[in-house]
Amino acid sequence: MSQDLPAWVAELTDPRRATTLDELADRLVPLAEHSIDVSRRLQVLLNELNEPFKREALYDRAERLKNRADEAFGEVTREIVASGEQRLDRVWAAWQERAAGEPEDTLRQRLATDVVPALRKQERAIAEEVGERTAVALEVATQTLLARVEQLAVAVTGLIHDVLPLAHEGLGLAGRISGLAAKVRELRDGRLELPEPLREAAAGTADSYNGTVARLELEWATLGSRAAIVRAALRAAEETAFSEVTAEMTECVEELAQSHIKVLNDAETQAMILLDELIAD
């Protein structure tokens, strides 16, 4: 990018173009600060990359999957109960239409004795079956999720081990630059011109800075992209695990639907017969 900047930028910032001790010292300090900044940014990104694989995060991920499965199971059981309540509502709607104003206590007692127990038994049976299969599916999905996270953790750990030395290299470079700047400031004895050894040291330091910082910046950008992929992979693994649980839950409900509808139909039919008997009396 330096070629896109005005020519005076390099003239005023490049240590290799310094002609006095003060100029060299003033140009070295920003290089050290930048080396520290990009190294720390890289370390922060590495820490963020490792965060999802700590023990607490793994526990939270498994617990979150269980909580979501429990919520989905709760919705299913509520729908099962609601389906029975809808049939009873039909009976009460028929009562209001055909026997408006008549006491409801007798019908309520007969329903509670002859109809509701069968509905509750059916609800419990379906809930137990769905719950058992959901628990098995949850266990399998959790193990698959944790295995995938572990595989990803191995890859991320290798990546961190590869990149971390570069961050340390940047901090080491910053230390060397700061040391050179301190040495330059100590040499202020009235001489303005740079001694040749310092000129050579400045040139070598600038070359090291350009190469190291360029690699640090590139690695930081690349690592950011990899970190985004890792986060996406973790979300996908978690969502897939949840989908596997809900798919098993849905399949179980579909398999039990026919028998459940039969119980509901029988219960409604029996309730309507009771209603007819009470109205006839």
Side-chain angles (χ1 to χ4, degrees):
M1 190 176 71
S2 59
Q3 65 271 20
D4 299 328
L5 300 176
W8 60 263
V9 173
E11 187 66 33
L12 298 182
T13 61
D14 190 345
R16 290 167 296 194
R17 301 192 183 188
T19 59
T20 68
L21 292 172
D22 284 343
E23 286 181 358
L24 180 57
D26 291 342
R27 296 177 187 195
L28 287 173
V29 172
L31 302 189
E33 293 175 346
H34 187 200
S35 297
I36 293 172
D37 175 68
V38 69
S39 297
R40 287 179 175 171
R41 280 191 281 125
L42 193 56
Q43 288 180 321
V44 167
L45 195 52
L46 289 173
N47 290 336
E48 292 176 354
L49 190 59
N50 186 57
E51 195 68 27
F53 302 102
K54 292 182 178 179
R55 182 179 298 275
E56 295 81 3
L58 295 177
Y59 174 82
D60 290 344
R61 184 166 284 105
E63 189 67 16
R64 185 163 54 247
L65 176 60
K66 180 181 181 302
N67 291 339
R68 293 179 68 185
D70 289 343
E71 290 177 3
F73 176 69
E75 292 178 3
V76 170
T77 55
R78 285 192 291 272
E79 290 176 0
I80 294 171
V81 173
S83 65
E85 294 298 326
Q86 288 173 356
R87 299 305 181 100
L88 294 176
D89 288 343
R90 293 183 187 180
V91 176
W92 285 111
W95 174 269
Q96 293 297 328
E97 181 180 345
R98 298 169 57 186
E102 296 294 329
E104 301 177 353
D105 291 347
T106 301
L107 177 60
R108 193 179 303 279
Q109 292 173 358
R110 293 293 300 275
L111 290 176
T113 302
D114 300 341
V115 177
V116 173
L119 289 176
R120 297 296 177 258
K121 181 180 179 180
Q122 174 67 9
E123 292 167 2
R124 289 193 298 271
I126 292 184
E128 289 175 1
E129 178 67 18
V130 175
E132 290 175 0
R133 288 179 58 172
T134 298
V136 173
L138 176 61
E139 178 64 23
V140 174
T142 300
Q143 293 304 318
T144 300
L145 172 62
L146 294 179
R148 287 174 171 171
V149 172
E150 183 178 354
Q151 292 173 348
L152 194 56
V154 171
V156 168
T157 298
L159 178 61
I160 291 174
H161 288 167
D162 290 341
V163 175
L164 191 57
L166 183 58
H168 293 160
E169 182 181 345
L171 294 175
L173 173 64
R176 293 193 300 275
I177 295 174
S178 297
L180 179 59
K183 181 178 179 180
V184 170
R185 295 197 186 280
E186 289 175 358
L187 292 176
R188 290 179 177 173
D189 57 0
R191 294 178 301 172
L192 296 180
E193 293 295 329
L194 283 177
E196 188 59 30
L198 279 182
R199 190 182 300 277
E200 293 177 358
T205 299
D207 291 340
S208 296
Y209 166 83
N210 289 336
T212 300
V213 170
R215 285 187 288 119
L216 281 167
E217 293 283 9
L218 178 60
E219 195 61 54
W220 180 76
T222 303
L223 192 63
S225 176
R226 291 176 180 173
I229 294 174
V230 168
R231 289 192 296 269
L234 289 171
R235 286 195 300 270
E238 193 167 334
E239 290 303 319
T240 299
F242 180 64
S243 295
E244 290 171 355
V245 175
T246 55
E248 179 65 23
M249 195 180 300
T250 300
E251 181 178 344
C252 181
V253 171
E254 291 176 349
E255 292 175 359
L256 298 173
Q258 186 173 353
S259 62
H260 180 58
I261 292 174
K262 183 179 184 305
V263 171
L264 293 179
N265 290 339
D266 292 345
E268 184 177 359
T269 298
Q270 185 178 1
M272 289 300 184
I273 292 173
L274 291 174
L275 186 148
D276 290 340
E277 292 175 354
L278 292 175
I279 292 177
D281 293 342

